[in-house]
Amino acid sequence: MAGKIKHVYRMKALREFGKKHNTFHAREALEYLNTYRNKNTGKIHRYTQSSITQVGNLLKQSKDFAIYKKQSNKSTVWEYIGSEEEWLFGM
């Protein structure tokens, strides 16, 4: 059973990916998560490995992402819209 950090690192990596690519396919986000490297050591991060279903659910539940073009889960096009803090404070 997952502890407190359930999807914290996956969501951080997804937001980082969203800032780089405004619109993207869920499959591209999955590849990014599965090859995400730790900033300090350069090794593949332990807590960002995921599946396409989990990526779709994470994107759906986050307010930072919106569906741009609906298709099947692998080829749905998503758009990064950012959080309210980014809009208000220009972060």
Side-chain angles (χ1 to χ4, degrees), residues 14-76:
L14 280 173
R15 285 187 192 103
E16 186 178 307
F17 180 76
K19 288 178 184 177
K20 289 181 186 175
H21 313 278
N22 281 338
T23 57
F24 56 90
H25 291 275
R27 174 59 82 188
E28 295 169 356
L30 173 67
E31 290 175 15
Y32 182 78
L33 285 178
N34 288 339
T35 59
Y36 187 76
R37 297 210 172 254
N38 190 327
K39 302 287 187 230
N40 298 330
T41 62
K43 294 180 182 178
I44 294 206
H45 200 282
R46 314 172 45 166
Y47 298 118
T48 59
Q49 304 302 308
S50 190
S51 67
I52 191 67
T53 306
Q54 192 172 40
V55 169
N57 289 334
L58 288 171
L59 291 170
K60 258 190 249 181
Q61 79 181 20
S62 176
K63 295 178 183 174
D64 296 340
F65 298 95
I67 293 177
Y68 186 72
K69 187 176 179 185
K70 180 71 172 149
Q71 294 173 352
S72 70
N73 194 16
K74 291 181 185 179
S75 59
T76 298

